[in-house]
Amino acid sequence: MTYDDIPHLSAKIKPKQQKVELEMAIDTLNPNYCRSKGEQIALNVDGACADESSTYSSKLMDKQTFCSSQSTSNTARYAAALYRQGELHLTPLHGILQLRPSFSYLDKADAKHREREAANEAGDSSQDEAEEDVKQITVRFSRPESEQARQRRVQSYEFLQKKHAEEPWVHLHYYGLRDSRSEHERQYLLCQGSGGVENTELVKSPSEYLMMLMPPSPEEEKDKPVAPSNVLSMAQLRTLPLADQIKILMKNVKVMPFANLMSLLGPSIDSVAVLRGIQKVAMLVQGNWVVKSDILYPKDSSSPHSGVPAEVLCRGRDFVMWKFTQSRWVVRKEVAAVTKLCTEDVKDFLEHMAVVRVNKGWEFILPSDGDFIKKHPDVVQRQHMLWTGIQAKLEKVYNLVKEGLPKKPDGQSGPAALLSGDQRVQAAKSKAQQNHALLERELQRRKEQMRAAAVLPGVRIKEEPMSEGEDEEDQDAEEDEEPMDTSLGGGLHDRLANGLPSGRAAGGDSFNGHPLPGCASTPVARELRAFVEATFQRQFVLTLSELKRLFNLHLASLPPGHTLFSGISDRMLQDTVLAAGCKQILVPFPPQTAASPDEQKVFALWESGDMSDQHRQVLLEIFSKNYRVRRNMIQSRLTQECGEDLSKQEVDKVLKDCCVSYGGMWYLKGTVQS
């Protein structure tokens, strides 16, 4: 049966959804049609009473509805073909719909059945159908809908179904196969080109045509070399943002000079933007850039050799990178002994940035880039500050012993990791000569003190630390005090003052790390005083260790040549803190504490000029006698000292300014050891 033989056919479409619905008549006079079944379906759908809104007005199921659905999402492989006069005309398809029977009339039948059952139950339970039930109505106002909730509602299945149902149908008229309008539309399927010149791209050689008909088997394709999926061409790479380009290049190359990176990115790229981006994904080692460990070993990953988590791998690789900042040579056994990692993991670290030399060890893969160090001293200084912080972490994790050797600037080659006997003897002699010179200066200083005491017999010169937490080493060598180590845990192999050698630490405004008398108005003292005052106005309570860390970060943000780079010692920093209106709180740490001496020196701002100064002073006096305190004790003491009208908000503010809570107890900031 063709469409021309169909007695009734109507169609409608939803343009936005590209959805078509066809309504096709059913021949009820056909001997194969089951009349009793058709009557039963019409009765279930429309009920006994038929009206204009009925689905089947003839009380028979005399029509069937077909709804369309997308048969495939990728139509690039399909085309409509028309063969005419020895020519095959192909038209690409942009959408393919498949018609399937719609059984929506069954839903209407179920709804009618539920309505009849509900009416029967209501009639049995109520004797007076005319009486209406009185029900309480609760009026609720919907709250304003947030943007996130609106997005979830718009993307929900119920909203999409409702939107589809609300779109109106557009009725279409069907034209038969032999209709003139159908013939006119069919002409658009024919190619209008008369010559074969326009279709030269369809001409294939016999071998190409045979290859298209019989492509090679999958086994043969596997034998051919295939490029890795993570490899991008330079053309593809340059379409990405600059930060992604730098990250991809460093992740694949591992170690690269800055000049090579600029040549790969292209001459039109701004070098300042590249410098800003490279510092996010790489660290400076001997003037060259080495990709950061967390880029190669992201979080939640592990070693393919030993299964060690990424955090441990990053720490071990950072140790190898730091070793190369000290020397051009690294011994693999030394790295394995310190990091406690397997041989394969250590070998991977070294192969990223070094080459092995027989009987010597592993040498850094690139020569030192002195040109970059000279051109960008500010970047070198910031990178040195970052390495200082990494030193502190490595020292605590691996329990490394401090050595009194100054750190060589970036770009200079250090001594070889393996020393001969003569070299060891020469190093021992040099160290002995240095110690002898230090002892001579110490002896001369003590003689001068004795002569001064002889001239003024009533004057005693007493040497004592600033607080009870000062080390004996600082007391004995007060005159030759080391400049401040701005890292959290000190250096590993160096005694530097904010990135400068100890010989230059004093500068013009200090003598051996101490401020000269009457120099409070010097530029260095003013800058340091401003930093200390601004820091304590924000923090209120700081340990010396935390203050040095914040000062280290402050130095890293300063431009090169700033006055604070002249060298700041621990004593000078502590003197400035006390001169800025702060007091040292002698917190009674427990005997078994793991806090370092710098972590046991606690300073607090005594007067800030706000309404909470009295409350903070009472709180600080409590912690001068107790290492940890309960909140009820603090509350009662503040109430006793400041009056009964002290509110909970005021107590919370004081605790937030000065304390931290841990395990139900309150500690001064920086003193709790979790």
Side-chain angles (χ1 to χ4, degrees), residues 312-421:
V312 180
L313 292 176
C314 291
R315 194 161 53 229
R317 188 174 180 274
D318 287 345
F319 176 75
V320 175
M321 293 170 63
W322 173 80
K323 290 290 289 182
F324 277 119
T325 64
Q326 310 299 306
S327 171
R328 286 197 58 82
W329 298 89
V330 169
V331 179
R332 180 175 57 82
K333 291 183 179 180
E334 178 187 353
V335 176
V338 172
T339 61
K340 302 297 189 296
L341 294 173
C342 68
T343 306
E344 290 79 6
D345 289 334
V346 176
K347 188 176 181 181
D348 285 346
F349 300 158
L350 293 170
E351 287 178 346
H352 290 168
M353 62 192 82
V355 291
V356 64
R357 305 296 186 191
V358 180
N359 297 330
K360 290 186 177 181
W362 291 78
E363 185 183 10
F364 193 67
I365 193 170
L366 295 176
S368 178
D369 192 350
D371 293 338
F372 180 84
I373 296 174
K374 294 178 181 178
K375 292 180 181 178
H376 305 280
D378 53 338
V379 177
V380 175
Q381 182 64 28
R382 291 191 184 97
Q383 288 293 311
H384 174 69
M385 295 299 176
L386 294 176
W387 278 120
T388 304
I390 294 175
Q391 283 179 347
K393 295 179 181 178
L394 296 176
E395 182 187 32
K396 289 185 177 180
V397 173
Y398 295 133
N399 296 323
L400 300 177
V401 181
K402 294 183 180 180
E403 297 178 6
L405 297 178
K407 179 178 178 180
K408 291 184 177 296
D410 292 337
Q412 294 186 7
S413 301
L418 298 177
L419 302 178
S420 63

Side-chain angles (χ1 to χ4, degrees), residues 292-310:
K292 289 184 177 179
S293 302
D294 55 358
I295 302 296
L296 297 180
Y297 303 106
K299 189 177 180 181
D300 298 331
S301 63
S302 59
S303 168
H305 306 294
S306 58
V308 173

Side-chain angles (χ1 to χ4, degrees), residues 10-75:
S10 64
K12 53 185 180 179
I13 183 173
K14 290 186 176 181
K16 292 183 180 179
Q17 304 173 28
Q18 297 183 353
K19 186 176 181 181
V20 178
E21 184 177 291
L22 287 178
E23 191 178 84
M24 185 180 297
I26 298 178
D27 186 7
T28 58
L29 302 178
N30 193 290
N32 296 324
Y33 180 79
C34 182
R35 190 175 184 84
S36 61
K37 191 66 175 177
E39 292 177 351
Q40 183 64 40
I41 293 175
L43 181 63
N44 293 338
V45 173
D46 300 327
C49 299
D51 52 14
E52 295 180 355
S53 61
S54 300
T55 304
Y56 303 111
S57 57
S58 63
K59 297 184 179 181
L60 279 175
M61 183 182 176
D62 55 356
K63 56 186 177 181
Q64 175 68 48
T65 304
F66 294 85
C67 287
S68 65
S69 62
Q70 286 190 0
S71 60
T72 179
S73 58
N74 183 15
T75 59

